[in-house]
C-alpha cells in the first residue's frame, strides 16, 4: 500500500477556497486500486498548505490513475510549475484552482510506502 501526497502551497487566507474544490472528486474515487483520499491543511507563516493524501493498493494503481484519461480530464486546466515533480512536467494528482486564480504558489508530489497501519486497513 502507498500514500501519495500532493503538497499545495497557497497564498495565506485562501485554504477554504481551494479546499472547497475537493468536495466533489473528479473520478479518482473510481480508479482501480484507489482506497481513500484525505485533505489536510496547515497555516504557515509565509503561506498556507493543503496536503492531498491519496491511498492506493500499490504504486502501479497510482501510476495507472496519473496516466489515465480520467486524470487528464480532471486536471485539464493550467497549474503552477511543481517543485521536484517526479512525474517530470506531468500534472500531479489532486485538484488545482482554475487559471487566473492567482492563489497557487506551487505543488510538490511525494509517494510513501505504508509500512503498517493501525487499526489494520
Amino acid at each position: 500500500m502507498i500514500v501519495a501526497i500532493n503538497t499545495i502551497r497557497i497564498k495565506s487566507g485562501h485554504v477554504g477556497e481551494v479546499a472547497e474544490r475537493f468536495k466533489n472528486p473528479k473520478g479518482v474515487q473510481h480508479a482501480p486500486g484507489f482506497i481513500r483520499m484525505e485533505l489536510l491543511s496547515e497555516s504557515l507563516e509565509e503561506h498556507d498548505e493543503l496536503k492531498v493524501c491519496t491511498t492506493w493498493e500499490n504504486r502501479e494503481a497510482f501510476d495507472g490513475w496519473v496516466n489515465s484519461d480520467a486524470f487528464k480530464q480532471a486536471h485539464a486546466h493550467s497549474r503552477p510549475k511543481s517543485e521536484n515533480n517526479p512525474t517530470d512536467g506531468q500534472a500531479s494528482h489532486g485538484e488545482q484552482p482554475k487559471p487566473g486564480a492567482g492563489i497557487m504558489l506551487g505543488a510538490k508530489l511525494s509517494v510513501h510506502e505504508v509500512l503498517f497501519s493501525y487499526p489494520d486497513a
Side-chain angles (χ1 to χ4, degrees):
M1 188 166 29
I2 66 155
V3 175
I5 302 172
N6 186 17
T7 301
I8 305 169
R9 291 182 296 122
I10 302 164
K11 285 186 180 180
S12 295
H14 294 276
V15 166
E17 180 181 338
V18 177
E20 186 68 26
R21 299 169 193 221
F22 289 89
K23 286 187 176 178
N24 297 308
K26 305 266 194 251
V28 68
Q29 72 276 24
H30 303 298
F34 174 79
I35 297 173
R36 75 176 155 273
M37 180 173 78
E38 297 172 302
L39 188 63
L40 311 175
S41 69
E42 183 177 10
S43 295
L44 303 171
E45 192 170 313
E46 295 180 6
H47 62 273
D48 293 337
E49 285 187 352
L50 280 177
K51 291 185 186 293
V52 184
C53 305
T54 53
T55 303
W56 299 86
E57 290 177 2
N58 52 47
R59 179 65 191 237
E60 293 76 22
F62 172 69
D63 289 341
W65 161 246
V66 170
N67 293 309
S68 71
D69 288 339
F71 175 91
K72 291 175 182 112
Q73 290 173 3
H75 300 85
H77 46 276
S78 64
R79 72 189 82 257
K81 193 174 194 175
S82 296
E83 309 171 351
N84 304 320
N85 188 342
T87 57
D88 197 21
Q90 294 180 11
S92 55
H93 84 295
E95 304 264 331
Q96 306 286 323
K98 294 186 170 129
I103 59 176
M104 296 294 294
L105 303 175
K108 180 180 178 182
L109 176 67
S110 60
V111 179
H112 310 269
E113 181 179 352
V114 176
L115 298 179
F116 67 88
S117 179
Y118 185 83
D120 292 333

